[in-house]
Amino acid sequence: MAKIKIERNSEWNNRARAIGIYISDEKVGTINNGEAQEYEVENGEHEIFAKIDWCRSPKIKLNLSENETKTIKLSGFKYGTWIYPTIMGMMLFYYLMKYALNIELNFLIWLCVIGFLYPIYFITIGKNKYLILSENGKENVLQH
């Protein structure tokens, strides 16, 4: 039997939620923050994707031979781990400057608004790209 190993990054933005793992359109389990799971599969070609709530990753295709193990990395959308802390830091800086030093920096509010729009894309229109599965650091996305 072949094996697929999924390694999930430790990220604060999806920390409390388990992500479902689907191999050949069948849910085979869930994976928690920072965890690694191994799934035994038949030899041959398999489509894999991960799903959390209504959002998911693009499907990737793997071709496995006898006793082969492939490792797949699972993470959230690009820049997802640092966009919210950056926005919160800018908002804190804005309020400190405005109320402590009486300096207006209105452009920071607009940067924060733009920053909040980025993740909104991934939970609406880009919901099928919310998660990223990659093999050996490269995305192997199945094109439909």
Side-chain angles (χ1 to χ4, degrees):
M1 300 271 307
K3 291 182 183 178
I4 298 172
K5 183 178 182 181
I6 311 272
E7 296 176 347
R8 180 177 168 189
N9 288 350
S10 181
E11 299 173 320
W12 70 269
N13 50 339
N14 291 315
R15 178 174 298 279
R17 303 182 321 176
I19 296 176
I21 304 298
Y22 294 78
I23 299 175
S24 300
D25 288 326
E26 181 182 324
K27 186 174 183 177
V28 294
T30 59
I31 188 166
N32 292 315
N33 191 51
E35 201 173 55
Q37 298 275 342
E38 244 180 44
Y39 303 98
E40 284 192 357
V41 295
E42 298 291 325
N43 301 338
E45 194 169 271
H46 298 280
E47 288 182 5
I48 300 154
F49 70 95
K51 187 174 179 191
I52 187 169
D53 300 330
W54 63 88
C55 300
R56 67 176 189 84
S57 70
K59 291 181 179 181
I60 64 170
K61 193 181 282 190
L62 291 178
N63 196 1
L64 296 140
S65 55
E66 183 70 30
N67 296 325
E68 183 179 13
T69 300
K70 290 217 176 171
T71 302
I72 306 296
K73 304 279 186 192
L74 171 62
S75 63
F77 61 89
K78 193 172 184 176
Y79 309 123
T81 56
W82 62 267
I83 195 151
Y84 282 129
T86 302
I87 291 169
M88 298 310 258
M90 287 188 331
M91 289 175 63
L92 178 64
F93 182 71
Y94 169 79
Y95 286 110
L96 284 173
M97 296 302 283
K98 182 175 181 173
Y99 295 111
L101 301 175
N102 240 1
I103 300 172
E104 290 285 332
L105 298 173
N106 291 331
F107 72 94
L108 280 178
I109 293 297
W110 289 109
L111 286 176
C112 291
V113 168
I114 292 167
F116 276 118
L117 291 176
Y118 181 73
I120 287 173
Y121 165 79
F122 287 102
I123 60 174
T124 57
I125 298 166
K127 67 183 176 78
N128 293 336
K129 297 176 186 172
Y130 183 83
L131 298 171
I132 298 170
L133 285 175
S134 59
E135 179 185 0
N136 301 326
K138 62 180 168 84
E139 287 186 58
N140 181 17
V141 177
L142 176 63
Q143 302 296 323
H144 287 284

